Amino acid sequence: MVMLIQWTVFADMRPDAEPLTILDFSNDDPITIPDSAETILVEPSLLMLPDSIVPSVTPVDTELPDSLIIPYSITRDSLGQLYLLPDSILLDSVRLDSLRQVGFITDSLGIDSLIQVFISLESAAGDSTARGGGFLDDPITGKTDSMVYRANERMMYAYDNGEVYYQDMILIADYTELDLDTKHIYAYGVSDSTGVATRPVFQQSGSEDIIMDTITYNLDTHKAKIKNIFTRDGDGILRGGIVKRMPDQTFNIAGGQYTTCDHDHPHFYFQMTKAKVIPGKKIVMNPTYFVMEDVPIYFIGLPFGFVPLNNNQSSGFIMPTFGEQSLKGFFLRDGGYYWCPNDYMDMTMLGGIYTLGSWETSLSSRYRLRYRFNGALNINFAKEVFGDRGSADFGNMTNFRVQWSHTQDPKFRPNSTFSASVNFSTSGYNKYSSNNINDYVSTQINSSIAYSKSWPGKPFSFSTNMSHAQNNKDSTVTLAFPNYSFNVSRIYPFKRQNRVGKEKWYEKINFTYTNTGTNKVTVKERDLFSEEMFKKMKNGMNHSIPISTTLNLFNYININPSVNYTERWYFDKVKKEYNPETNMVETTDTLRGFYRVYNYNFSASMTTNIYGTFMFKSNSAVQAIRHVMTPTVSFTYTPDFGQAKFGYYEHIQQDSTGRMGYYSPYENGVYGVPGRNRSASMSFSLKNTLEMKVRSRNDSTGTKKIKILDELSFRGSYNFLADSLNLSTISVALRSSIIKDFNINLSMVFDPYQVDQQSGRRINKFLIRKGKLARLQSIGTSFSYRINGGATSAQGYNNINGNNNYLPGQDIFDTGDLLYGEEEDYESALREQVNMRRRLMTGMYYDFSIPYNFGVNYSVSYYNNGIHKTVTQTMSFNASVNLTSKWAITYNGGYDFQSKKLTTGVFYLTRDLHCWQMNFSWVPIGFLKSWSFNISVKSGVLRDVKYDKRSSYYDNFYDK
């Protein structure tokens, strides 16, 4: 055997010393060593090392073909002779570190006596064929706590967590043997002191780690035979009995199991007779049956199966769901195709059919361009056929819906934005075709498409939008397009560019300019885009120029005078005449043209802050209380624009008695018309805040502030030129959060005038004449309070604000059984559903980290018009408690003060079953009485493995 020795020696006196010169040495003359040699004597002249030098060796990558690098070591005897020994002799004293270098044995003087050398073992010419088996394509390396090489057997053995590296393959095991002739690696685990056997781990780039009992791997063919495999792919866990690994990294399995349970002994699995696994793509199974708690359930089996393993988006078919809906019959729906052409968009196409003649189809697409924009488009179309032909309840209609959302990234074109939120549908879609309860109870839908633009360094900005509002109850649609707004931000025309000295009063004069325009129409759904719609369109433009300044009086009072000018441009006006035949004022003509309607007013406001502080003793728990009052008085004068010189009003006969009145030719204008009477009003308000400073050990300053009153304000006005009822109502508002997690909001309105007891109208007589200062016209207050124990949690199942849109016992795709109910029942159902939407909670993911949770919301309102008094109160509450770490119960409900009984409430019972979850919900009373039971696998990979049983609240209509 011929051996070529190569090494590089690094010398260092001590770890903290400066490094010495690097000594490189290569022996160019091969050393012939007998095959039976176990010890090789190396002449000292070949490697001269001072005794004081602590040596270490870095292996040199060999360029030799068909070679195997194995470790040898050099040792120095007592006479100074250097010996080269294979590691098999030094197994008891040599240990490899993480850099695959030999650790050194230190003598009493602290000087190492061992050096690791890597030797390239090369067969003599023609010897490889004689021994059988060629050389490897790449070097095989590794690290281990102990290793034995038997040159005469051409076998290598690694022990104690040995690692073998070959190309992109890594094998980790407590026992590994390598046959250089057959190029087979065989590995298995070793039992520890407790009797538990370790298991080898096989790693290869691009695939998950594989754990097994034994493995035989061929370095040439890359095939492997494995027993008792264990590997993960996403949420899925694959266990196999006898496994063959193919060169393309696929697996053929006999007697395997597939589950999502990560328990050492899985609670359930699918037993596969045979299967083929393509890592990262799919598992294809032969006949498969279900096993629960080691009990095989053969009737829950499949002749074949397919499980996708691709963690990335990929195109594919979507399996439909089936069921029954009493309105449309049996159905097969929500099946179709998912298409993902690239990383920037995808598309889902679904369809469904019903046995009574209805069918539906939908297309949804999402798109995203990172740092630019993202959005989604949904188009739904449905043909609805329900009821018996010829009967009163038979229906045959076509419905559709278009939804589009678009959002622009703020960093993309920061000076312009474009956004869209479109939700347009026929009025019958939400009632008959939607599969979402939110759509069913919604009576109003809105849309908006907006664009805005600003110019950096300039005071200009522009925005435009299109809006849509639709009332599904009466099929009324309001469209506004285009709407635009052009704004000029605040400009100080008299401000000096290079000011010297104090600012002059006239430099504070400023103005802004706003120009808006709109074109809108309100029509029935059936008249959309018809000639009638275009005739009803209202349009116009509005210009607003407020001019204002700020003055300071006595350094404490701020005065803000202003002049406001508004001008409207209209393109039509109406002419009205009294019709004696109908005894009504009727529109006789619409005149097209350009018409200016303007108005202006003058105003001035005065405000200041008044502070009051009450100090306590220095050793008092309360250090100080501060009261801040902000009084504001403003005066506004508006001329009478009802004078004939303006032309904004016409005098006309109102009825057959000859009573005269006024109408405005511009009363249909989108921006209104100026008032007909003069106004000189004074508004006044007083705002109060109250704070307290108390001692606090938790604050670094030793004190902290507490707000006693966030706001206590009074507001009103007085019109000096009104002919009666000069004083307005007085409003009072109070806000306080002095108690943690307890917020109080109170609003009140007081009326100082008397009321006609016959008509209920206010009369020009103060209540003070009757000994009362004012009458409480209305009051409203609300508060909420919440307590919970344990860790706070994100929004979860036991949260009153949970976002579950479905009722227990309701199929999430069920929409229409309610349609056969009577009108009174329909209105009652809507009220119940709206009230319950906040009380319903997600039943799939209960948060067990909160031991208990209780919340209550209460609101009350009072109204008194002088004759009748009404009080409205509402209260809702929820409570949840974890009976154990796995059992939880929740109740959500409310109280109806008018009927003096509990409103419809929902009980939830949840059980965490490790890899499964059980949920039971029950509505015991009320119109929505129903129940639901569900037990399902938690993982979304096997989301169809579940059992559902429920009663629908829609069935309550048919029980009558």
Side-chain angles (χ1 to χ4, degrees), residues 388-407:
D388 298 325
R389 292 184 181 274
S391 63
D393 57 4
F394 176 74
N396 187 342
M397 64 181 66
T398 300
N399 293 315
F400 71 89
R401 179 175 66 182
V402 177
Q403 294 177 309
W404 176 41
S405 64
H406 179 93
T407 303

Side-chain angles (χ1 to χ4, degrees), residues 523-534:
V523 294
K524 291 292 186 179
E525 182 183 310
R526 61 178 180 270
D527 295 327
L528 278 175
F529 306 109
S530 65
E531 183 179 355
E532 182 69 17
M533 185 191 80
F534 292 101

Side-chain angles (χ1 to χ4, degrees), residues 596-630:
R596 294 174 58 245
V597 179
Y598 63 88
N599 68 290
Y600 47 84
N601 62 57
F602 308 93
S603 65
S605 65
M606 181 173 61
T607 184
T608 189
N609 289 325
I610 303 174
Y611 298 90
T613 303
F614 183 81
M615 303 298 296
F616 292 83
K617 294 181 179 180
S618 59
N619 59 353
S620 175
V622 179
Q623 293 289 291
I625 293 179
R626 186 174 74 164
H627 179 206
V628 181
M629 294 189 298
T630 306

Side-chain angles (χ1 to χ4, degrees), residues 331-509:
F331 61 77
L332 190 68
R333 65 187 181 195
D334 296 317
Y337 190 77
Y338 174 78
W339 181 51
C340 182
N342 51 49
D343 293 335
Y344 306 106
M345 68 161 291
D346 65 1
M347 184 178 296
T348 304
M349 294 158 282
L350 301 176
I353 56 174
Y354 299 80
T355 55
L356 296 184
S358 299
W359 59 272
E360 61 191 23
T361 182
S362 66
L363 183 148
S364 60
S365 176
R366 298 175 299 174
Y367 58 90
R368 176 184 293 274
L369 194 58
R370 184 176 293 182
Y371 307 126
R372 294 200 172 190
F373 53 79
N374 65 84
L377 173 67
N378 297 308
I379 301 175
N380 302 84
F381 184 87
K383 180 70 173 179
E384 305 295 348
V385 180
F386 51 86
D388 298 325
R389 292 184 181 274
S391 63
D393 57 4
F394 176 74
N396 187 342
M397 64 181 66
T398 300
N399 293 315
F400 71 89
R401 179 175 66 182
V402 177
Q403 294 177 309
W404 176 41
S405 64
H406 179 93
T407 303
Q408 179 179 303
D409 192 296
K411 296 182 290 294
F412 177 61
R413 295 179 180 174
N415 299 320
S416 65
T417 61
F418 177 78
S419 63
S421 177
V422 175
N423 186 5
F424 180 79
S425 67
T426 56
S427 58
Y429 184 87
N430 287 357
K431 292 182 180 180
Y432 298 95
S433 305
S434 177
N435 297 326
N436 191 319
I437 192 66
N438 275 344
D439 295 333
Y440 188 75
V441 301
S442 175
T443 60
Q444 187 80 18
I445 58 177
N446 300 277
S447 303
S448 176
I449 301 175
Y451 171 80
S452 64
K453 170 72 175 177
S454 62
W455 288 265
K458 298 181 180 180
F460 310 121
S461 63
F462 174 81
S463 64
T464 182
N465 70 80
M466 183 203 80
S467 63
H468 150 261
Q470 183 175 343
N471 189 324
N472 291 327
K473 196 169 185 180
D474 60 6
S475 70
T476 299
V477 178
T478 299
L479 293 177
F481 176 77
N483 300 321
Y484 79 89
S485 176
F486 177 76
N487 299 278
V488 178
S489 59
R490 195 171 303 278
I491 294 176
Y492 294 84
F494 306 113
K495 186 180 287 291
R496 291 170 288 176
Q497 295 292 332
N498 300 306
R499 191 180 71 189
V500 178
K502 296 180 64 176
E503 187 178 30
K504 305 296 183 181
W505 67 269
Y506 55 82
E507 291 186 84
K508 298 180 181 179
I509 297 176

Side-chain angles (χ1 to χ4, degrees), residues 159-172:
Y159 305 91
D160 299 336
N161 201 31
E163 299 182 12
V164 178
Y165 302 86
Y166 180 70
Q167 295 179 347
D168 63 345
M169 180 272 290
I170 303 174
L171 180 61
I172 305 172

